[in-house]
Amino acid sequence: MTINHHLNDALLMAYSAGSLPEAFSLVVATHISMCDECRARLASFDAVGGSVLEECDTVALDDDAFAATMALIDAAGSEAIVADFDADALFPAPLREYVGGDLNAVKWRPAGGGVRQAILKTSADASVRLIRIPAGASVPDHGHRGTELTLVLQGAFRDDEDRFGPGDVEVADEHLHHTPVAEEGEDCICLAATDAPLKFNALLPRLAQPFLRI
Ligand code: ZN
Ligand code: ZN
């Protein structure tokens, strides 16, 4: 898998600091499990965050606490590798946990124009959904009030900005207006998080918006 579009520093830092809404954390965790480059950058932010913690030594940790923490990290590391090993799965491990399985466990609902979606349960400060765009079909053109983070899991889409294939992330904000179109050949399946309602231009998607919770 060749990944061309990665997470930006602001997202990785916020993820490292634990300050992202749950919906965004899921997209970041899923991309990181697919992307060596972002995993390495996250590790460096984690290290910086850790050294900042060490410098403000208001809390004195004893040797046992340090050893216990390292043991926890070791345990978590080996568990993650075991959990991630499923060569036949489309969804990386963090996403499979939310869905309760792989692609065949998703409960799709129609979202108009042949597009289907499945909203995943997270805290209410942002929302995250799986979107399935039939090959060659498009999502109605829209702008954004907040941030929209879209990760491609299968197939590819193009919009006014670029082409996004498996593993790629598009970070959209108030400045981007786009019409994502799935490439021919294969349905495009994405994981998308938003922290504010989208701005649809056409009347029909606008009317359906409250119902679709997008
Ligand atoms: Zn990446
Ligand atoms: Zn968008």
Side-chain angles (χ1 to χ4, degrees):
M1 181 186 309
T2 312
I3 299 177
N4 296 311
H5 301 278
H6 296 273
L7 296 163
N8 60 35
D9 285 350
L11 282 164
L12 284 171
M13 273 188 262
Y15 180 77
S16 174
S19 55
L20 281 180
E22 187 183 358
F24 284 83
S25 288
L26 174 61
V27 181
V28 171
T30 304
H31 177 80
I32 281 169
S33 72
M34 305 165 90
C35 179
D36 295 340
E37 186 181 320
C38 286
R39 201 178 315 122
R41 282 164 61 218
L42 175 68
S44 66
F45 286 126
D46 285 347
V48 171
S51 67
V52 169
L53 274 182
E54 272 165 34
E55 274 164 32
C56 47
D57 53 353
T58 46
V59 182
L61 291 178
D62 57 28
D63 291 347
D64 285 353
F66 180 74
T69 306
M70 292 314 285
L72 272 178
I73 291 169
D74 280 349
S78 52
E79 196 176 292
I81 288 163
V82 173
D84 214 9
F85 186 74
D86 186 347
D88 294 331
L90 174 67
F91 295 165
L95 180 57
R96 282 206 304 280
E97 267 172 45
Y98 270 80
V99 171
D102 202 41
L103 186 57
N104 51 14
V106 178
K107 295 176 184 70
W108 297 105
R109 303 264 181 272
V115 177
R116 285 180 287 167
Q117 67 168 3
I119 298 171
L120 306 179
K121 251 194 178 52
T122 59
S123 56
D125 47 0
S127 72
V128 64
R129 69 199 65 221
L130 283 157
I131 300 175
R132 184 170 192 145
I133 315 169
S138 64
V139 171
D141 72 308
H142 61 271
H144 310 88
R145 289 188 177 84
T147 303
E148 179 189 64
L149 196 58
T150 307
L151 167 66
V152 179
L153 300 162
Q154 176 195 291
F157 74 85
R158 286 173 191 275
D159 67 8
D160 320 50
E161 288 292 294
D162 217 328
R163 176 191 186 270
F164 298 85
D168 283 335
V169 175
E170 181 174 44
V171 185
D173 61 14
E174 295 87 354
H175 306 295
L176 178 69
H177 195 103
H178 64 171
T179 308
V181 181
E183 281 188 354
E184 295 291 346
E186 192 176 20
D187 288 2
C188 180
I189 299 176
C190 300
L191 180 67
T194 47
D195 60 359
L198 303 179
K199 282 188 279 192
F200 287 104
N201 285 351
L203 180 63
L204 209 59
R206 246 187 3 247
L207 292 176
Q209 223 175 336
F211 180 70
L212 300 172
R213 293 198 281 145
I214 196 161

